[in-house]
Amino acid sequence: MKNSIILISGASGEIGENLIDYFSNIEKRKIIAIDINKPKNQSNIFKFIKGSILNTEILNKINEEYVIEEIYHLAAVLSTTAEQNKKLAQNVNIDGTNNLFNLALSQNLKNNIITKFFFPSSIAVYNVKKNYTIPVSENKFCNPKTTYGQHKLFCENLGIAFDKYGNNQNFKIDFRSIRFPGIISINSMPSGGTSDYAPEMIHSAIKNKNYSCFVSEKSRLPFIVMPDAIEAIVKIMTTPKKKLKNNIYNITSFSPSVKDFLKTIQKKLPEFKINYVIDKMREDIVNQWPNFIDDKNAKNDWKWNPKYDLESAFNNYIFKNLEN
Ligand code: SER
């Protein structure tokens, strides 16, 4: 249809920018992007709207004008900021997500389509004992203490309900969600997250700067690199619905400790050093999140298969441009 679009919220954030790049390089999609900040590059976007997902006037206008085939709802307040500013987090993470659910449900009423809705969830939905090393599957330990984890879990459940049962008028969405581990990207930086120590460390090393780490050297979380994250989003969104046994999937690739990261970096950049200035709140968050997660459901149902493990992530992605 002529006025069919895909809508990306949080378009100027890390995942947003990389996803828009992907769509413009590989697939041509008519993208409407919304964010409170301007994206670095607008050339691949059909229409950029500088505004908030809390502004229902903006969303109503999009609803009136377009057929929204897919929504990628990437706007969020990440875990560290959410803990520091719970009110803002509640507004963006809960109310904002609810506004986009309502937009998708309105599309079902107005255009008689079931909008595909991608929601990035997180390992923050888990709350495990410190140093718990058994890979955690989707239905275990979902009892988050952090504000961010609670918000993600709440929105997951709302999304599942709208997918399975619809709203009070039986309008539905096609809800698909990935619980991301930490993501490492070489062309962007996260802000306000807790897994940020890894990308921060790597970006410092590449710039020949030392790094002051806010968690201890034993801290360990699961990670993937951005190209795998983007591929995962595209894969789950293009898999036929009947193959998806669940709405929510873990994905992971490697789980190094801070010390493992340091050693890997120093193999290439032996001068690189870190010191530790522990932020107790942030370290507490890391300690609640699993060291390892189990992603066999994603592997089975939609053929998730990360291209990069720890070694190839560094050799073929992170350090790739250093030689040039
Ligand atoms: N990477 C995010 C954060 O640290 C978790 O999803 O907040």
Side-chain angles (χ1 to χ4, degrees):
M1 252 182 280
K2 209 172 109 246
N3 56 346
S4 288
I5 54 117
I6 65 169
L7 177 67
I8 302 182
S9 78
S12 309
E14 267 215 296
I15 301 179
E17 282 189 345
N18 283 284
L19 188 64
I20 291 170
D21 274 355
Y22 172 88
F23 282 141
S24 44
N25 288 332
I26 311 225
E27 297 176 39
K28 285 274 169 246
R29 313 290 302 265
K30 207 166 168 187
I31 297 169
I32 295 202
I34 177 166
D35 203 302
I36 51 170
N37 301 309
K38 271 196 176 165
K40 279 191 221 132
N41 174 0
Q42 278 187 40
S43 61
N44 300 319
I45 299 170
F46 168 68
K47 185 173 182 181
F48 173 68
I49 300 168
K50 192 167 186 302
S52 165
I53 51 169
L54 297 173
N55 184 337
T56 46
E57 259 175 52
I58 295 178
L59 301 183
N60 289 342
K61 204 154 172 265
I62 299 173
N63 185 46
E64 283 311 310
E65 282 179 31
Y66 299 102
V67 176
I68 310 174
E69 290 179 343
E70 295 172 8
I71 295 177
Y72 296 80
H73 169 38
L74 309 174
V77 172
L78 294 188
S79 55
T80 294
T81 311
E83 226 47 57
Q84 292 160 339
N85 192 341
K86 296 192 182 199
K87 180 85 182 80
L88 172 74
Q90 159 115 9
N91 288 340
V92 175
N93 296 350
I94 304 270
D95 304 343
T97 303
N98 203 32
N99 286 347
L100 288 176
F101 281 148
N102 283 332
L103 174 60
L105 292 164
S106 307
Q107 285 283 309
N108 194 188
L109 163 70
K110 179 176 156 265
N111 297 323
N112 198 24
I113 60 160
I114 298 193
T115 301
K116 281 190 193 173
F117 193 111
F118 178 76
F119 180 67
S121 190
S122 163
I123 52 167
V125 301
Y126 300 113
N127 177 11
V128 296
K129 284 212 181 76
K130 192 177 165 185
N131 298 331
Y132 184 82
T133 54
I134 301 168
V136 173
S137 57
E138 284 87 351
N139 50 9
K140 294 239 173 82
F141 306 115
C142 288
N143 188 17
K145 263 208 279 188
T146 62
T147 303
Y148 177 74
Q150 289 159 4
H151 292 170
K152 286 292 182 191
L153 192 61
F154 178 83
C155 293
E156 279 185 6
N157 284 328
L158 210 53
I160 294 170
F162 288 140
D163 180 298
K164 284 200 185 342
Y165 313 113
N167 67 355
N168 56 350
Q169 295 167 283
N170 290 327
F171 295 115
K172 290 189 170 182
I173 63 175
D174 175 351
F175 182 71
R176 304 173 183 215
S177 178
I178 292 173
R179 286 183 185 156
F180 284 110
I183 302 176
I184 297 166
S185 169
I186 43 158
N187 56 6
S188 56
M189 281 290 283
S191 70
T194 311
S195 59
D196 296 9
Y197 65 84
E200 283 175 6
M201 192 191 310
I202 290 164
H203 282 251
S204 297
I206 290 172
K207 290 185 198 135
N208 289 320
K209 286 188 182 152
N210 291 334
Y211 179 61
S212 182
C213 188
F214 57 80
V215 292
S216 70
E217 65 173 19
K218 285 193 181 142
S219 303
R220 185 188 298 278
L221 287 178
F223 283 91
I224 53 171
V225 290
M226 188 59 86
D228 278 332
I230 299 301
E231 185 148 336
I233 296 173
V234 172
K235 266 196 172 160
I236 196 174
M237 288 297 272
T238 49
T239 298
K241 184 76 170 165
K242 57 179 185 308
K243 295 212 167 144
L244 299 175
K245 296 196 192 85
N246 302 308
N247 295 94
I248 313 287
Y249 289 90
N250 284 345
I251 63 169
T252 185
S253 183
F254 43 87
S255 286
S257 66
V258 170
K259 200 172 174 186
D260 297 333
F261 268 125
L262 177 62
K263 280 195 202 146
T264 311
I265 294 172
Q266 284 175 334
K267 271 193 226 157
K268 184 87 182 169
L269 301 166
E271 307 285 283
F272 177 65
K273 291 195 176 46
I274 63 178
N275 70 315
Y276 295 90
V277 180
I278 307 297
D279 179 325
K280 183 151 177 352
M281 186 266 278
R282 297 179 100 181
E283 189 167 70
D284 269 359
I285 295 178
V286 170
N287 287 341
Q288 292 162 36
W289 293 354
N291 291 359
F292 300 91
I293 50 175
D294 178 343
D295 59 357
K296 67 172 169 312
N297 288 331
K299 285 182 164 149
N300 286 339
D301 289 6
W302 47 275
K303 309 285 171 266
W304 155 247
N305 184 20
K307 280 208 182 84
Y308 297 90
D309 58 15
L310 181 65
E311 211 186 298
S312 58
F314 275 89
N315 292 338
N316 305 339
Y317 174 62
I318 295 165
F319 288 149
K320 199 172 156 207
N321 296 319
L322 275 186
E323 272 109 58
N324 304 329

